[in-house]
Amino acid sequence: MLVQLPGGWNPLLGRLALDQIPYDNPILAPLFVAVVVGTILLFGLITYYRKWGYLWKEWLTTVDHKKLGVMYIIIGLVMLFRGFIDGLMIRTQQVWANGPHSSGVFGALHGYLTPFHFGQVYSAHGLIMILLAATPLLVGFMNIIVPIQIGARDMAYPYLNALGLWITAAAAVLIMISLFVGDFAHNGWFGYAPIFELQYSPGVGVDYWIWTLQLTALGTTLGGINLLVTIIKMRAPGMTWFRLPIFVWTSLSANIIALTSFPALQVALGLVAADRYLGSHFFTAGFGGNLMLYTNLFWIWGHPEVYFVILPAFGMMSEIFPTFSEKPLFGYVTMVAASFAIAGVSWMVWLHHFFTMGAGPQVNSFFSVATMLVGIPTGVKVFNWAFTMYRGRITYSAAMLWAIGALFMLLVGGMTGMMLAIPAINYMVHNSVFVIAHFHSMLLVIVYAIFGSVIFWFPKVFGFRLDEYWAKVMFWLFTAGSALVFVPMYMLGFMGMTRRLDYVFNPAWHPYLEVMEVGIAVYCLSVLAFVVLLYVSIRDRVKNRAGADAWGTARSLEWLAHSPVPFYNFAVTPHVNARDELAWRREHGMDALEPERYVDIHMPSNTGMALYIGALTFVLGFGLTWRIWWLSLLSLAAIILLMIIRSFRGDDGYIITGAELERMEKEALRNRAQADGKYVSGGRGQVAGTAIAYGRNGASMGGDPFNSSRDGI
Amino acid sequence: MSHGHSDPVQHPEVQMSSVRGYLSGFLISVLLMLAATYMSATHAFPPFGLLMVITVCAAIATIAQTYFLLHIDTAEHNIWNTVSLVLFIPLFVLTIGLTWWMFSQLYLHTMPAMTGMH
Ligand code: HEM
Ligand SMILES: [Cu+2]
């Protein structure tokens, strides 16, 4: 052992022992029982309905980008809920533990959470919301939508795609396990030196934090590579760069940032791990270490990361506004340029997270100006959206409401961000809840855009629309909740309330804390409304069935495919003629053409390998957390072995013959005719001079996902 | 796509990789890392000299890895690799440069008497 471990360690179980299970904790123990009962119930139901085979074949081993995307989104929603419960706990503790006369239960002097437990709750909340809720939700949408929008058959590397998903799932499981086995970090979501050093955090909490972050970083990087290659290499014929939908552009810019910045995070965490496991001194005060170097490395990733999550949200808004304004997007080229300007500038501003380090006026001014520069391209975007709506024929559908909500949140968050970017102001409010309110406004932009997109693209994936009424009820409840929670939070920030307080000393703040608690209650109602929304929509799914163009006014290529999109996306790869292809085809009467001839297509086969490797990365993370060396080595060796096996075996894929394809297409078209009542049978290959509906040599012109999967990548 | 894609081994990017290339990339990085570790463990040079030597080792390792393992160069059939190189260099200079700048300023303002030590 290179480091002095407090507490026991044995070769077989590492630091794991029975007393690490918090069975005497009055909150966790009942929760644990509920989880076990729920799991048994779920497994029982699956067995009873004999769904294991279906689950295995259709979901667990799938390499279909749409199903993987749906699973990403499910993970994201589950983690969003978990993070929300953490948020509820934080708010409840603060309103309860306010003032010297507040009562305390469960061993806490004030409130119901001990400081030790409270620290874990807010650390988990932040980490989960940014990396395991927002990120998977966005990656899920990019996964589903980008390939269809560019007319590809699948992602460039279908197997790598599955691998990214299962590694992300492993990270989610790892952080959930920390609830019941051991404890979690209390160093905040981004960590501080030296509190995360072994000396000051002797438990396994920080180790859980390190390996959860490492796994999400790995999963997201793999996903990012895949999306980049897909966008560059797999575009349908005619889909030139300046015909790409804006969502594709923002995905491209976002993933460039992800690919270039995530390694910085992995290095930072690797060095923390070296300190904790090998006894090095990168971030200790003694022995030549440097505490602020950690903060520096973290935010080199951290700031680009926040733009990694906001850019796809901008893309989503750019798809929703034109559809429900019945106008093309205003300022397409400036929108593209703005996305890349934001991505570029996001690389040079990271010091604004630690202006108070004291690097002096020159450095602070440079980063202050750089930060404020972001406002220019962001402003361009806001005006573009406004001009898109200006004189448009606006329908206030639920998706549109969510997108408009996102726009308002962006204004609030952007303005307060500008304030924080001024060092003189920053010194006053740094580490206050004003900062918390700022970035929650920003992250709410993402949440709004995501719920808008859930409604917007739901019919594309599942073939029926969500219920408009309940979607709007949810929107208004959510908006009321946001206002009630975050307006008082901005005010408290100005009054000097610092972040992460397990005990709020000033009784004068009580009214504000109470209003925030009411806001959380309203948020709870909006969660309920979401459940009702799903229930009602699934109940009425036949009535709400959607045609290919679910909204009647959609513009981009994905709306040309059937709803739900078949596993092969487009039977024959379409030829793209214009920027808003569907709108163009609608104008030229080509939006419901049937191809003349179907040719064989080549598809990648399912594989359980990604699932196995994902599961092993979880075991590896768990083994490392608890310092069970044999388990870590074994799982690492197994991962490497499986990768080698996979690369030698490759994937030959399988062929869907033209005849089969024709049969499936006929069926899909029949359903579609019922849903939207228009389609031309026996379409012409060519209309109106240079316009082409489908390339003549069909499938082989588009991307062929099989090709890249062959190398075992 | 200009080249046929029935046989992935024919792809120019695949053609570029060879056992020898990968092995040399791997060996060079491992050797440099071992050397750096050994030198810091034994304090083979005075602190500032050590810093310089390790930096040089890291630079050589970085170049060896980008060339041998990632095949990032300026070859024509490898246009996207060149693009990533062009993107990477400014980012590299920015992060290292700005970090260096902010920390030298920090030391200047917080521990004026000790600047020489770092
Ligand atoms: C108009 C653009 C923006 C500006 C000028 C801006 C400015 C800032 C500044 C100066 C801080 C540091 C505050 C402090 O700690 O004293 C900050 C924190 C933060 N911002 Fe922004 N921001 C912008 C956009 C965003 C976006 C788009 C997001 C995410 C979607 C975001 C998320 C965050 C987060 C997560 C933190 C704090 C993290 C923490 O301390 O835990 N910001 N922002
Ligand atoms: Cu930032």
Side-chain angles (χ1 to χ4, degrees):
Chain A
M1 282 278 175
L2 293 159
V3 289
Q4 205 67 43
L5 273 185
W9 181 87
N10 71 61
L12 190 63
L13 286 176
R15 306 181 80 187
L16 197 56
L18 213 56
D19 63 355
Q20 294 287 347
I21 315 282
Y23 46 77
D24 52 351
N25 183 306
I27 298 167
L28 290 178
L31 183 65
F32 181 67
V33 174
V35 169
V36 171
V37 171
T39 314
I40 294 175
L41 215 66
L42 186 70
F43 278 43
L45 279 178
I46 297 176
T47 314
Y48 181 78
Y49 286 106
R50 300 174 180 283
K51 287 290 184 197
W52 284 111
Y54 163 79
L55 207 61
W56 180 257
K57 272 216 265 332
E58 295 292 323
W59 294 94
L60 300 182
T61 61
T62 189
V63 291
D64 179 339
H65 70 100
K66 298 171 288 298
K67 285 185 176 158
L68 291 172
V70 168
M71 286 191 281
Y72 263 119
I73 292 174
I74 291 173
I75 293 177
L77 287 176
V78 169
M79 296 314 281
L80 190 67
F81 183 69
R82 153 90 207 262
F84 169 69
I85 298 296
D86 287 335
L88 185 150
M89 290 174 76
I90 297 171
R91 291 264 53 80
T92 308
Q93 169 73 11
Q94 287 192 338
V95 68
W96 186 339
N98 178 212
H101 303 299
S102 52
S103 60
V105 293
F106 298 159
L109 211 53
H110 298 278
Y112 69 107
L113 294 172
T114 57
F116 176 69
H117 194 170
F118 185 75
Q120 296 178 43
V121 174
Y122 66 65
S123 305
H125 170 77
L127 176 59
I128 286 177
M129 284 308 206
I130 294 186
L131 281 149
L132 286 163
T135 306
L137 283 165
L138 295 168
V139 174
F141 272 107
M142 292 192 270
N143 237 304
I144 298 176
I145 302 303
V146 165
I148 318 180
Q149 277 195 330
I150 62 175
R153 187 99 38 242
D154 202 313
M155 292 281 255
Y157 309 118
Y159 162 69
L160 188 71
N161 201 11
L163 196 58
L165 171 83
W166 291 115
I167 293 177
T168 307
V173 175
L174 194 61
I175 199 171
M176 291 306 252
I177 288 275
S178 77
L179 273 178
F180 305 123
V181 187
D183 45 61
F184 194 68
H186 46 261
N187 53 14
W189 75 279
F190 56 77
Y192 284 102
I195 193 174
F196 54 44
E197 298 286 352
L198 196 59
Q199 205 180 343
Y200 308 104
S201 299
V204 292
V206 177
D207 303 322
Y208 267 122
W209 172 80
I210 293 176
W211 303 117
T212 306
L213 269 171
Q214 286 284 26
L215 286 182
T216 52
L218 182 62
T220 313
T221 309
L222 295 183
I225 294 173
N226 210 345
L227 276 158
L228 287 180
V229 178
T230 306
I231 296 170
I232 291 173
K233 289 281 191 189
M234 310 279 288
R235 283 167 289 131
M239 183 58 92
T240 54
W241 285 107
F242 281 96
R243 286 180 185 165
L244 287 180
I246 289 290
F247 183 64
V248 178
W249 274 116
T250 55
S251 302
L252 185 72
S253 52
N255 282 299
I256 291 175
I257 327 183
L259 191 64
T260 45
S261 68
F262 266 100
L265 173 68
Q266 295 190 298
V267 167
L269 292 168
L271 297 181
V272 178
D275 276 9
R276 285 182 65 87
Y277 285 77
L278 307 176
S280 61
H281 290 276
F282 288 107
F283 305 129
T284 63
F287 298 100
N290 188 329
L291 310 188
M292 286 316 286
L293 193 59
Y294 171 77
T295 307
N296 180 56
L297 273 176
F298 184 90
W299 289 112
I300 284 181
W301 163 77
H303 187 85
E305 156 72 12
V306 306
Y307 280 96
F308 167 63
V309 288
I310 202 106
L311 279 169
F314 287 168
M316 294 165 163
M317 293 159 73
S318 307
E319 300 294 324
I320 295 174
F321 284 132
T323 302
F324 295 106
S325 306
E326 302 189 26
K327 269 175 65 185
L329 186 72
F330 184 90
Y332 174 92
V333 178
T334 53
M335 214 59 151
V336 174
S339 303
F340 279 83
I342 290 176
V345 174
S346 83
W347 261 103
M348 298 189 286
V349 301
W350 76 92
L351 180 127
H352 67 217
H353 292 272
F354 47 103
F355 277 135
T356 50
M357 173 171 84
Q362 295 91 336
V363 174
N364 279 4
S365 317
F366 172 86
F367 281 96
S368 168
V369 172
T371 303
M372 287 195 245
L373 281 181
V374 180
I376 299 172
T378 313
V380 167
K381 290 201 166 220
V382 171
F383 281 110
N384 279 345
W385 289 320
F387 284 129
T388 304
M389 288 185 275
Y390 178 65
R391 292 195 155 174
R393 207 175 297 134
I394 297 181
T395 324
Y396 289 101
S397 66
M400 185 68 167
L401 287 183
W402 282 102
I404 294 175
L407 194 51
F408 274 97
M409 282 296 165
L410 178 62
L411 288 179
V412 177
M415 294 299 179
T416 53
M418 286 302 144
M419 295 167 68
L420 287 169
I422 300 166
I425 298 181
N426 191 282
Y427 267 71
M428 293 288 117
V429 288
H430 177 60
N431 261 352
S432 75
V433 293
F434 186 81
V435 175
I436 311 293
H438 152 67
F439 71 75
H440 278 82
S441 305
M442 277 302 186
L443 290 158
L444 280 172
V445 176
I446 299 163
V447 177
Y448 272 79
I450 284 173
F451 280 116
S453 304
V454 167
I455 296 161
F456 186 57
W457 278 309
F458 193 90
K460 187 78 306 190
V461 179
F462 293 103
F464 58 96
R465 274 181 295 269
L466 288 172
D467 188 83
E468 278 286 306
Y469 175 78
W470 281 100
K472 286 183 186 172
V473 170
M474 183 193 171
F475 168 80
W476 287 112
L477 285 171
F478 194 91
T479 304
S482 304
L484 287 171
V485 172
F486 292 106
V487 173
M489 197 182 281
Y490 276 119
M491 297 163 85
L492 283 175
F494 280 138
M495 295 177 204
M497 179 169 154
T498 47
R499 64 195 290 190
R500 298 178 176 143
L501 294 180
D502 59 279
Y503 165 70
V504 185
F505 65 90
N506 190 349
W509 293 339
H510 202 68
Y512 300 89
L513 295 169
E514 271 178 344
V515 173
M516 292 204 264
E517 189 69 10
V518 172
I520 283 285
V522 179
Y523 265 139
C524 288
L525 292 180
S526 83
V527 175
L528 267 182
F530 184 58
V531 176
V532 175
L533 167 67
L534 288 182
Y535 169 77
V536 171
S537 312
I538 294 175
R539 190 193 62 196
D540 299 343
R541 61 186 177 278
V542 179
K543 198 180 80 197
N544 290 335
R545 215 164 63 203
D549 177 3
W551 307 105
T553 53
R555 314 187 63 85
S556 45
L557 190 61
E558 79 270 27
W559 300 102
L560 190 67
H562 308 305
S563 308
V565 184
F567 61 96
Y568 46 80
N569 292 357
F570 296 94
V572 175
T573 305
H575 188 106
V576 178
N577 302 279
R579 185 171 290 161
D580 285 337
E581 177 68 9
L582 183 70
W584 185 90
R585 287 193 179 209
R586 207 165 28 227
E587 258 163 50
H588 291 74
M590 284 170 62
D591 55 332
L593 282 186
E594 198 190 336
E596 314 172 301
R597 195 165 62 84
Y598 294 96
V599 286
D600 298 356
I601 52 182
H602 199 170
M603 297 295 293
S605 338
N606 282 13
T607 168
M609 203 59 107
L611 179 62
Y612 302 143
I613 295 183
L616 282 168
T617 56
F618 164 74
V619 177
L620 178 61
F622 189 79
L624 284 170
T625 301
W626 290 96
R627 303 181 192 229
I628 314 175
W629 305 129
W630 65 268
L631 188 64
S632 317
L633 278 177
L634 210 65
S635 44
L636 183 64
I639 291 171
I640 295 175
L641 192 73
L642 285 185
M643 288 195 171
I644 294 177
I645 292 178
R646 164 78 196 187
S647 19
F648 273 93
R649 212 165 45 192
D651 175 21
D652 287 330
Y654 65 97
I655 302 277
I656 314 174
T657 61
E660 265 175 278
L661 199 60
E662 180 152 14
R663 191 179 48 72
M664 289 187 283
E665 277 293 293
K666 285 269 162 3
E667 163 124 23
L669 284 170
R670 235 190 337 270
N671 290 338
R672 174 168 164 178
Q674 281 171 10
D676 62 9
K678 62 167 182 195
Y679 90 91
V680 190
S681 82
R684 304 135 290 174
Q686 297 211 268
V687 227
T690 57
I692 311 171
Y694 294 101
R696 241 147 307 156
N697 45 352
S700 63
M701 282 188 72
D704 185 351
F706 147 76
N707 184 36
S708 38
S709 68
R710 176 75 168 273
D711 322 340
I713 293 165
Chain B
M1 270 171 262
S2 53
H3 46 80
H5 52 213
S6 47
D7 184 5
V9 178
Q10 295 306 318
H11 282 214
E13 4 3 323
V14 179
Q15 289 281 308
M16 286 178 61
S17 48
S18 69
V19 175
R20 231 180 89 201
Y22 282 121
L23 269 186
S24 6
F26 180 69
L27 281 181
I28 293 175
S29 350
V30 169
L31 284 180
L32 283 169
M33 203 157 83
L34 284 179
T37 313
Y38 177 78
M39 283 185 293
S40 8
T42 57
H43 299 281
F45 299 97
F48 187 76
L50 201 56
L51 206 65
M52 289 297 117
V53 175
I54 294 179
T55 309
V56 171
C57 287
I60 301 176
T62 311
I63 294 170
Q65 285 177 9
T66 36
Y67 183 73
F68 285 118
L69 303 185
L70 302 178
H71 308 299
I72 288 180
D73 56 19
T74 49
E76 205 173 313
H77 57 263
N78 230 355
I79 183 74
W80 286 105
N81 286 8
T82 314
V83 169
S84 38
L85 187 70
V86 168
L87 181 70
F88 163 80
I89 289 175
L91 289 183
F92 187 79
V93 172
L94 265 179
T95 36
I96 305 283
L98 287 176
T99 298
W100 172 78
W101 183 46
M102 68 174 77
F103 277 91
S104 59
Q105 289 288 314
L106 177 69
Y107 292 148
L108 201 67
H109 287 94
T110 54
M111 32 188 169
M114 295 160 67
T115 36
M117 286 185 63
H118 288 270

